[in-house]
């Protein structure tokens, strides 16, 4: 068991999972630095300098969440998720609110992290999936339509030179029941 600085017991299994919500949820009454440290006082595995550099947060540490752009909030939320060095990182729409340069930097960051942990993310931005993923699950209306590498899914669908967007559309059109 891990006891947070607020006396909350957090099971060890839960600490192995980092989660980032689409909105980049932060504590509004704390600056970025305090948001990053929250819950880690009794278990200081956070390497603030490394995470700050990795996610380019240096100029944000003294700012409050209300003054941050959507992309900046997402990067801070990602830093919080990475603070306990999770084995699994779950991301919901991870590039929500990012400008094009932030998307490129974020994709690079995820690629640098994927050798040390499993990264699972849900997104509607197919370019993010193609740029980052080794394996893709295509889920439509709660039904699994495809599982594998993009190249393998394209070949199995009979469209071997297709990208993920074409594979997704093909699988939805040919295997998903009509949405009522």
């Amino acid at each position: 068991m891990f006891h947070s600085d607020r006396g909350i017991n957090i099971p060890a299994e839960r600490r192995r999972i980092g989660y980032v919500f689409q909105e980049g949820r932060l504590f509004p009454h704390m600056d970025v630095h305090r948001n990053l440290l929250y819950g880690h006082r009794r278990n200081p595995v956070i390497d603030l300098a490394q995470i700050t550099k990795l996610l380019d947060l240096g100029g944000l540490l003294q700012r409050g969440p209300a003054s941050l752009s959507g992309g900046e909030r997402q990067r801070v939320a990602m830093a919080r998720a990475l603070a306990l060095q999770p084995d699994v990182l779950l991301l919901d729409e991870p590039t929500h609110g990012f400008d094009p340069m932030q998307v490129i930097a974020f994709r690079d960051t995820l690629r640098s992290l994927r050798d040390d942990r499993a990264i699972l993310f849900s997104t509607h931005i197919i370019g993010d999936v193609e740029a980052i993923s080794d394996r893709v699950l295509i889920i439509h209306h709660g039904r699994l339509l495809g599982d594998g590498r993009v190249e393998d899914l394209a070949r199995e669908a009979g469209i071997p030179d297709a990208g993920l967007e074409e594979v997704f559309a093909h699988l939805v059109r040919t295997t998903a029941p009509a949405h009522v």
Side-chain angles (χ1 to χ4, degrees):
M1 276 297 184
F2 168 71
H3 300 279
S4 75
D5 60 306
R6 298 192 56 143
I8 300 169
N9 292 331
I10 302 172
E13 296 81 22
R14 187 166 159 215
R15 284 185 292 131
R16 295 179 59 197
I17 300 172
Y19 184 77
V20 179
F21 294 93
Q22 177 177 340
E23 309 87 37
R25 294 181 185 171
L26 303 174
F27 296 107
H29 61 285
M30 296 181 188
D31 65 18
V32 168
H33 186 258
R34 288 188 61 213
N35 261 283
L36 293 176
L37 294 176
Y38 183 80
H40 305 296
R41 289 188 190 140
R42 293 188 186 167
N43 190 13
V45 297
I46 186 172
D47 183 345
L48 187 59
Q50 181 183 10
I51 291 173
T52 298
K53 181 178 179 184
L54 178 68
L55 294 168
D56 192 26
L57 301 176
L60 306 179
L61 294 176
Q62 304 309 314
R63 291 176 52 191
S67 72
L68 302 176
S69 71
E72 289 169 336
R73 277 192 302 278
Q74 278 296 91
R75 291 192 342 254
V76 173
M78 172 67 94
R80 286 195 59 203
L82 291 172
L84 288 173
Q85 300 172 352
D87 296 326
V88 178
L89 190 58
L90 299 175
L91 309 171
D92 181 22
E93 300 289 349
T95 57
H96 176 76
F98 282 14
D99 66 39
M101 293 307 293
Q102 289 172 328
V103 169
I104 292 166
F106 191 75
R107 288 175 178 175
D108 290 343
T109 299
L110 286 183
R111 280 190 289 268
S112 75
L113 295 170
R114 69 182 182 186
D115 290 338
D116 298 329
R117 66 194 43 85
I119 300 174
L120 305 168
F121 67 97
S122 171
T123 186
H124 294 90
I125 303 172
I126 291 179
D128 286 346
V129 177
E130 284 185 306
I132 299 165
S133 302
D134 296 323
R135 179 178 168 198
V136 175
L137 297 173
I138 297 175
I139 301 172
H140 184 67
H141 295 295
R143 186 166 165 233
L144 180 64
L145 303 182
D147 176 0
R149 295 174 350 135
V150 174
E151 301 82 21
D152 297 335
L153 293 172
R155 189 176 57 255
E156 291 167 12
I159 46 176
D161 295 326
L164 182 56
E165 187 171 274
E166 294 163 294
V167 171
F168 175 84
H170 174 80
L171 290 174
V172 167
R173 288 182 189 124
T174 61
T175 62
H179 182 63
V180 179

